[in-house]
Each structure stands twice: as C-alpha cells, then as structure tokens.
Amino acid sequence: MNSNTPDRQEQPERSPESLRQTVPSHDAVPRHSTVRLIVNVVVSVAVLGSCFYAYTLLGERKRPQRSKPQKPAATVVTSVPLASHEGPVKIGASGVVVPLREIRLATEVTGRVVQISPNLRNGRMVDAGEVLIRLDSIEYDLEVKRLKAQQSQEAAELVSVDVSIENATLLLALAEQQVDITKGERDRIDSLIKRQAASGSEADIARRSELTSKAALVELQNRRRELIAQRQLIVEKQSLTQIALQRAQLDQSRTTVKSPIRGRVVSSTVETDSYLLSGTSFVTIEDTSAVEVRCSLTASQMIWVWRSAAGMSELPDASSTMDDRVPPIPAIVEHSFGGVSQQWTASLERIDGAGIDLDTRTYPCLFRVNDPRAADARGSSNRLMRGMFVSVTLMATPDRPLFQVPETAIRPGNRLWLDDNHRLRIQNVHVVARSDDGVIVDMIESPPGNGVADASSSVVISPISDPSPGMALMSEPIRQPASAGIVDDAPAKINSAVNAGDSVRRDASAGKVDG
C-alpha cells in the first residue's frame, strides 16, 4: 500500500466527463462478435429450412398393411387308411439256452476204479450205453460164487429130505399093515374069550401088541410130517439164497457204470485207481437230444399268449387253476454266429417257476427245441449250446381284431389321431408288436359316445399344433406313386405353407421396425 500511495498523489485530477470518455461501456458490442452472431443465425435458419424442405419434399412414409391370413375352416392334415392286421402277431424277446436235463451219476457200490472211459472228460460227448468206469469186482464175484455153492448145498439137502420122506412113507405103509394084523388077532382073542376058549392073559397080550403097532405107526407119521416141514424149510432157504444171489449179481453188475443217455460231459471228478464209496457222485452229463430256451415275457406279451389259444381267451385270475399251463405257441429261435444267422423251430412249453420274477417283474417261460442242430445255406451245421444268447419270435394268433399303422402315427401317451367323418377323434391304443411295415396296435375301449374305430377310418400322420377332439379336418390322403416319375406332393404343400408363414412373419417384423 505504501508503494501505491505516491503514484496516486502524482496523477492529476480528472473531470467526470474525461473519466466517462476513457472508461469503455458494457453495452457496446465489438464488431467481430456481431458478425459471428449473424453467421450462427443464418446457418441455423438454413439447416431448419433444409429439414423442412426435405420433410415436405419426401413426404411421410405409409405403414404397410398388417393383414392376418384368413384362418381356414378346417385343418389340413395328411392321413392314411386304417389297415387291419391279418395273420399271427410276432412277439419278440431275448433268451438264453439252458439244458433240457442234467443227469448226475453216482456209484451204487463201493470199490476201486480200475478202468475209465477216455471220453470221461469235461466237454466231451458220450454215447448211450458207453462204459464210463469199472470198479474192482473180485469181492462181488466171490459173493456170487458163495451163494451159488450154497444153492447147490441146499438142493442136495432137499434131495436127502425127499429120500427120507419116501422111506418114511414106505415104513408107514408097513406099520399100517402091522396095526391091521394086531387088530385082527385081538378080535379073534375077544371072540374066544366070549366062548371061554381063551384066558384073560392072552387077551392082554393081544391088546399090548396092538398098542405097540399103533405107537409105531404114530411115530412114523410124526417122522414123515417132520421131514415134510424140514423140506419146506429148505425150500424157503433156497428162496432166500436166490434173492441174495440176485442182489450179489446186481452189485456185481453195478461195478460197471454206463451212460444212460447220449450227452455232453459237464463235469467229471474221477480218476483211475481212486476209491469210491457207495453214493459218490463222479460225473454230470447234459442231455443234448433237445434243449430249452429260457425267456422272460412281460405281462402285456403274456396277455396275447393266453388269448391266442382256443378256450383260453379269458385271462387268468387269482382263482384260476391254470398254474403253469400255456398254449403250445410255435416260435422261432435265431442265433447269429460269425455273421451267419441260423434258426430253429421251437414251441412254448411251460412257465418256469411259481409265478412272476420279483426282480424283473416278468414271466419266465421255457421254449423247447426238439432238434438243436441247424444247417445254414453253406451246409455247415451248428448246435444250440447252453449259455447262448438267442432271440425268440412267438407266432401268437390274436382272438380279436388288430390294426396296423405307421410308426409316425403313434402320438405321446400311445394315442392315435383318427379322421372320423372329417372330425378329429383321439383314440387310446395298446402297442402289441412292431413289424417292418409299421406298428400293430389294439384299440382300447373308448368312452361312451366316441364310437369304435374300424377299417373305414383314417389315421392322421401329419402334425397338428393344437389338437382337440371334434375339431374339423380336411384330410389329404397319401397317394401311392403310379410310376417312378410320380412322387407325393404332400411334403411340397407342407413346405409351401411353411414358407408362406415365414414370409408373413418377416413382413410383420419389418412393420414393427418401421413403426
């Protein structure tokens, strides 16, 4: 402040007018600011004018007409005729080959193995009547000889008794004559005593002699009866000896074990010089004359199995006595090996077990193949063997009409769309089997008022966006080509309809963008 004070004092004093002339006025605008303002105004007016001119010259763009296509009175669908199924129903399943029977052989006597068959090895074939093993039979041979010697001894004893009986018979005849003589002598003595020509002592002597002869006769009679009883005892002994001899001969024959059937050795546990006790199992043989195929069928498949037999159209219930009986339905067993498929003829035999399998909830069934051999086109033969996985095709004959439809006609939930007098009817079906030509179905009973499907109905195979029972339909059946150059135009119509819908949607989208 001190520095500024002298300067103020040095400046001369000015008048108000001079001050007014030297101080610039705030209201005064410089020249260059005015030019800039004019330029901005002119440019702004030019831009607004150009916009207004352009809007007026080009005019307002008209929006496109958004017209919805007219909804047809009926939905256009593609359908095929509902065809009835003729012939048997092929029910397919898979199974495994099991042996018809397995025989486990055991020794019936005790002994040492002295001979064994070369075929008594696992996997080899044995013929019916082939000797499998031989046991040491010396003890059994000696027992047979002993019993035969005993039979000879008993026969000699019987001859001796017969001679004794014959001798006793002769002596008995002489004793009877002696009794007659003594009796006649006593009668004469008695007559003499009555005439008092003999004494009493003579009568006593005659009676004593008669009693002695009678005693001798009774003794000979008793002896003869004893000899007859002894002979009967010897005869009974001969019977017992004969039975013992037969048992010994049976044991002697049991030292040789033969194969009762022709089959394959499954397991063998015997060697030469081994000692086997009575009842020891040493080999298991599988019967190869026939085999069985164990297959599991579902409940829906078993329904057609039971319905395919005459007199078994009613399904079994809890009070039924059908147990394991099933109709002998023919079947075909097929197995592929080395790229070659071979077939065997079989028939349904029985249900294996007491009921449904708890693990799979299926019916275990057995199919019998009487001839397990098969020959292919090249002449090579193959045999069904245990453990093979095969496919089984049953030829069930249905007892009610079935229908055949294309596989594409099956809707979710096992339903069909039927064209019934140009009205949509939704029919519940049960899929019975599948074939090369389509699907075989059984019509489930419809609710009251819906009618019953017949061969005159058509099956809708094209998609419907919002199906509802009773909706109007306009069916376009698929026409079979008359020649190789004619093709079905149904796919072209569907594609054109789809393209038209896409173009309408594109126009609608463009209108929304422009708006």
Side-chain angles (χ1 to χ4, degrees), residues 36-111:
R36 183 180 299 174
L37 178 61
I38 293 172
V39 171
N40 291 338
V41 171
V42 172
V43 171
S44 299
V45 172
V47 170
L48 291 176
S50 300
C51 293
F52 181 76
Y53 175 76
Y55 180 77
T56 305
L57 180 63
L58 297 178
E60 184 180 2
R61 184 179 179 184
K62 296 181 180 180
R63 295 184 178 181
Q65 296 293 334
R66 298 180 182 178
S67 61
K68 294 184 178 180
Q70 185 178 2
K71 188 174 182 181
T75 303
V76 179
V77 295
T78 304
S79 63
V80 295
L82 183 61
S84 299
H85 176 72
E86 301 294 339
V89 176
K90 296 182 180 180
I91 301 176
S94 59
V96 62
V97 179
V98 295
L100 177 64
R101 57 173 180 163
E102 287 185 351
I103 300 177
R104 184 174 298 174
L105 299 181
T107 56
E108 298 178 274
V109 294
T110 302

Side-chain angles (χ1 to χ4, degrees), residues 84-148:
S84 299
H85 176 72
E86 301 294 339
V89 176
K90 296 182 180 180
I91 301 176
S94 59
V96 62
V97 179
V98 295
L100 177 64
R101 57 173 180 163
E102 287 185 351
I103 300 177
R104 184 174 298 174
L105 299 181
T107 56
E108 298 178 274
V109 294
T110 302
R112 182 175 58 88
V113 180
V114 295
Q115 181 183 350
I116 186 172
S117 172
N119 294 327
L120 198 62
R121 294 290 182 267
N122 296 345
R124 292 189 179 182
M125 296 291 297
V126 293
D127 294 328
E130 181 180 350
V131 177
L132 300 179
I133 61 172
R134 291 185 186 273
L135 302 179
D136 189 4
S137 61
I138 295 178
E139 295 181 0
Y140 303 99
D141 296 340
L142 294 176
E143 181 66 15
V144 170
K145 291 180 180 179
R146 185 187 71 81
L147 292 174
K148 287 183 178 180

Side-chain angles (χ1 to χ4, degrees), residues 361-428:
R361 308 304 299 170
T362 56
Y363 289 85
C365 298
L366 289 176
F367 295 82
R368 179 164 180 166
V369 181
N370 293 322
D371 187 8
R373 291 184 177 273
D376 56 13
R378 297 177 297 180
S380 61
S381 61
N382 189 17
R383 173 183 288 272
L384 281 177
M385 301 177 63
R386 62 186 301 167
M388 280 186 175
F389 288 97
V390 296
S391 59
V392 181
T393 304
L394 282 80
M395 303 297 180
T397 304
D399 61 342
R400 56 187 299 173
L402 301 179
F403 300 92
Q404 188 167 354
V405 299
E407 189 171 1
T408 56
I410 304 298
R411 307 298 174 178
N414 288 339
R415 296 179 178 180
L416 287 180
W417 293 344
L418 300 179
D419 184 358
D420 189 3
N421 295 328
H422 304 291
R423 294 290 177 180
L424 178 63
R425 182 158 64 87
I426 300 177
Q427 174 71 46
N428 295 326

